[in-house]
């Protein structure tokens, strides 16, 4: 293989965006490309470097998985809090409606009380039934007297 084709192969393999994985693949590709020319000691060192990169990649993946789990837990927690807040808002809207209805009922009651008080004041300004009956009887008596005088 020519150097150019090896570089193209290496570049196509390294299109991965994860840096630890890129380093691991680069070490592995380099070791595979030079394996036939390496002494046993150099091959052992190259394998150790590749193994070290694989371990580092595994560690970063584990950290990423833990981070993802924490993020998912926080998202669930925030979703639950949001749902609780939404329920609280809905309950508050119902309470506002209920209080608005009570306010309207109180206003109606007050209007009725004012109207009743006006009618009661007008009724209190008029003579009582006993007084009217007495006046009526007095007038009937006077009418009867006038008829008898004629």
């Amino acid at each position: 293989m020519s150097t150019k084709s090896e570089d193209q192969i290496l570049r196509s393999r390294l299109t991965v965006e994860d840096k630890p994985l890129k380093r691991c693949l680069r070490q592995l590709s380099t070791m595979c490309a030079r394996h036939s020319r390496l002494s046993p000691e150099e091959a052992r060192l190259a394998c150790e470097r590749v193994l070290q990169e694989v371990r580092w990649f595994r560690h970063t993946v584990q950290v990423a998985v833990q981070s993802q789990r924490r993020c998912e837990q926080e998202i669930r927690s925030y979703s639950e809090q949001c749902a609780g807040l939404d329920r609280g808002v809905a309950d508050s809207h119902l309470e506002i409606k209920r209080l608005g209805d009570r306010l309207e009922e109180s206003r109606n009651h007050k209007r009725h009380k004012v109207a009743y008080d006006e009618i009661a004041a007008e009724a209190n300004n008029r003579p009582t039934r006993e007084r009217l009956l007495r006046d009526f009887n007095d007038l009937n008596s006077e009418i009867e007297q006038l008829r008898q005088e004629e």
Side-chain angles (χ1 to χ4, degrees):
M1 276 192 179
S2 70
T3 308
K4 188 173 184 179
S5 65
E6 287 177 8
D7 287 341
Q8 287 173 343
I9 293 170
L10 183 61
R11 283 193 177 103
S12 68
R13 289 181 185 166
L14 294 179
T15 56
V16 178
E17 294 298 322
D18 192 5
K19 288 184 181 182
L21 181 58
K22 277 185 179 181
R23 280 196 312 264
C24 182
L25 291 174
R26 188 178 303 127
Q27 288 285 338
L28 183 61
S29 295
T30 303
M31 185 187 80
C32 289
R34 296 180 183 166
H35 183 35
S36 60
R37 295 173 286 189
L38 295 176
S39 68
E41 181 61 24
E42 289 173 332
R44 187 186 64 75
L45 289 174
C47 285
E48 284 180 17
R49 282 194 302 270
V50 169
L51 185 59
Q52 182 180 2
E53 291 298 331
V54 168
R55 286 181 185 140
W56 178 247
F57 175 67
R58 186 174 133 232
H59 171 73
T60 58
V61 168
Q62 288 172 342
V63 168
V65 167
Q66 289 173 354
S67 177
Q68 178 69 27
R69 286 183 185 149
R70 282 193 304 272
C71 289
E72 289 170 355
Q73 283 177 332
E74 285 184 29
I75 288 170
R76 277 193 302 276
S77 172
Y78 292 149
S79 296
E80 290 169 4
Q81 288 176 359
C82 185
L85 290 173
D86 287 342
R87 283 190 301 275
V89 167
D91 291 346
S92 296
H93 284 299
L94 289 174
E95 181 69 10
I96 288 169
K97 171 112 175 66
R98 189 183 64 77
L99 291 173
D101 292 345
R102 279 187 57 201
L103 178 62
E104 187 60 32
E105 183 181 320
S106 295
R107 285 179 179 159
N108 286 337
H109 180 72
K110 184 177 179 181
R111 276 195 296 273
H112 289 125
K113 184 174 179 353
V114 167
Y116 176 81
D117 289 345
E118 289 173 356
I119 292 170
E122 180 68 28
N124 287 335
N125 288 337
R126 296 184 182 220
T128 63
R129 179 178 286 228
E130 293 83 24
R131 167 116 176 144
L132 289 173
L133 285 174
R134 207 173 46 239
D135 288 347
F136 180 72
N137 288 335
D138 289 344
L139 287 174
N140 277 339
S141 296
E142 279 183 39
I143 292 173
E144 203 49 50
Q145 284 176 0
L146 289 174
R147 282 189 189 156
Q148 287 176 1
E149 288 178 7
E150 294 185 352

